[in-house]
Amino acid sequence: MAETSLRAVGRRALEDLEELVGCPAEGLVGVQRTEQGWLVTAELLEVQRVPETTDVLASYEVSVNAAGEVESYHRVGRYLRAQVDQS
């Protein structure tokens, strides 16, 4: 990967995750550098409903190596769009 900015890593991980999971991305929640590369946290729309407040979203963590390639991903949670985090 020629460009290793936060923006470039996040964008690439989000695009790859959409393709791997088959769901549209809602956006990035976080991007951080690790010893092995990057850890990206993203939200995807898993189930679209009417009204929109009942959509099911999911949060995924994506491990990206120093070359910018996705090495692994996993879902860390699912929730309704209208659900408020209590932490």
Side-chain angles (χ1 to χ4, degrees):
M1 173 184 256
E3 186 181 1
T4 57
S5 70
L6 232 54
R7 182 179 302 165
V9 169
R11 184 179 304 123
R12 172 78 185 272
L14 203 55
E15 290 170 359
D16 288 353
L17 185 61
E18 278 184 310
E19 189 176 317
L20 288 165
V21 177
C23 296
E26 287 285 307
L28 292 173
V29 176
V31 180
Q32 69 183 65
R33 187 180 289 274
T34 66
E35 288 182 18
Q36 295 78 29
W38 301 87
L39 180 63
V40 177
T41 306
E43 287 183 325
L44 270 60
L45 174 61
E46 289 198 336
V47 180
Q48 189 170 14
R49 295 180 175 160
V50 176
E52 191 175 273
T53 55
T54 62
D55 287 349
V56 178
L57 302 177
S59 181
Y60 284 82
E61 286 186 347
V62 183
S63 295
V64 179
N65 65 24
E69 300 294 323
V70 170
E71 292 196 330
S72 67
Y73 71 93
H74 68 279
R75 184 171 60 196
V76 293
R78 290 180 88 192
Y79 45 91
L80 296 177
R81 184 181 297 278
Q83 186 175 334
V84 177
D85 186 9
Q86 298 296 319
S87 55

